Amino acid sequence: AETGYSAANQYVPFYFDCTSFSLGGISPQASIIVKDCLANGNGAPSAVTAYCYKVVGQDPRDIFFNDCESAGGEYGFYIKPSGTGSTLYNIDVHIRNPIIDAVVVTGIYVEDYKGAAALTIDGGYIVKSANDAGSTIWIEDSSGVVIGGGIQVLGLANDGSQDDGIRIRNSES
């Protein structure tokens, strides 16, 4: 379960807490464009988990990551809304042309994301650190995720014992 940010165990260069100030209110992170940014997870202390771009809270609305890069770290993009049911009424995040280099665990991790075409991933590439467990893209317990054309998946062990290219579990269209 998501417990929020703690400097004691996480390194997060770009952190988006999309928790509304009031029930039914709009996320404080609504309508944000992040363009041509680099989040470097290399050099984070070994006792912490490095999330280069992290999106949490019940209302991630209109967040666009255009041509953003992550280098190293356990996760390039980590997206896990906290709302359920009717609280997920107008959520959408778009990752366009990402450059995700040397990610240790998962390039783009998405869990508990519900909606109609609520998350799009288009173009770019993801390079895993060789022979580390995880995936380039991991989607779990979600719906409305669209993975478009042109994304390259690189750096896998190719033997199935350590990592996956794209893993989709317990999800629906």
Side-chain angles (χ1 to χ4, degrees):
E2 182 60 39
T3 58
Y5 177 74
S6 168
N9 60 11
Q10 297 180 19
Y11 170 75
V12 189
F14 290 85
Y15 183 77
F16 298 85
D17 184 348
C18 302
T19 302
S20 297
F21 295 120
S22 64
L23 184 62
I26 295 176
S27 167
Q29 307 297 343
S31 301
I32 292 177
I33 297 174
V34 182
K35 182 161 177 55
D36 294 324
C37 290
L38 168 62
N40 192 345
N42 291 316
S46 60
V48 303
T49 301
Y51 303 88
C52 292
Y53 300 88
K54 187 171 185 179
V55 179
V56 297
Q58 80 259 26
D59 192 16
R61 181 188 301 218
D62 301 326
I63 302 174
F64 297 85
F65 295 99
N66 296 331
D67 307 312
C68 290
E69 182 174 356
S70 70
E74 281 77 17
Y75 296 90
F77 289 84
Y78 180 94
I79 301 168
K80 186 176 179 186
S82 59
T84 59
S86 62
T87 62
L88 299 178
Y89 49 86
N90 187 21
I91 63 174
D92 60 312
V93 173
H94 308 279
I95 302 171
R96 297 176 176 151
N97 300 316
I99 298 171
I100 303 171
D101 280 326
V103 67
V104 176
V105 177
T106 298
I108 300 173
Y109 179 84
V110 180
E111 185 178 354
D112 295 330
Y113 208 97
K114 310 285 195 267
L119 175 70
T120 57
I121 303 167
D122 290 312
Y125 66 86
I126 303 169
V127 180
K128 286 263 302 142
S129 291
N131 297 320
D132 287 320
S135 300
T136 56
I137 299 174
W138 182 301
I139 311 293
E140 186 161 349
D141 297 322
S142 297
S143 63
V145 177
V146 176
I147 301 172
I151 192 159
Q152 292 182 311
V153 173
L154 306 165
L156 301 173
N158 293 324
D159 63 6
S161 66
Q162 295 291 323
D163 51 21
D164 298 310
I166 298 173
R167 176 177 280 212
I168 301 172
R169 292 180 52 179
N170 302 323
S171 296
E172 59 188 41
S173 59

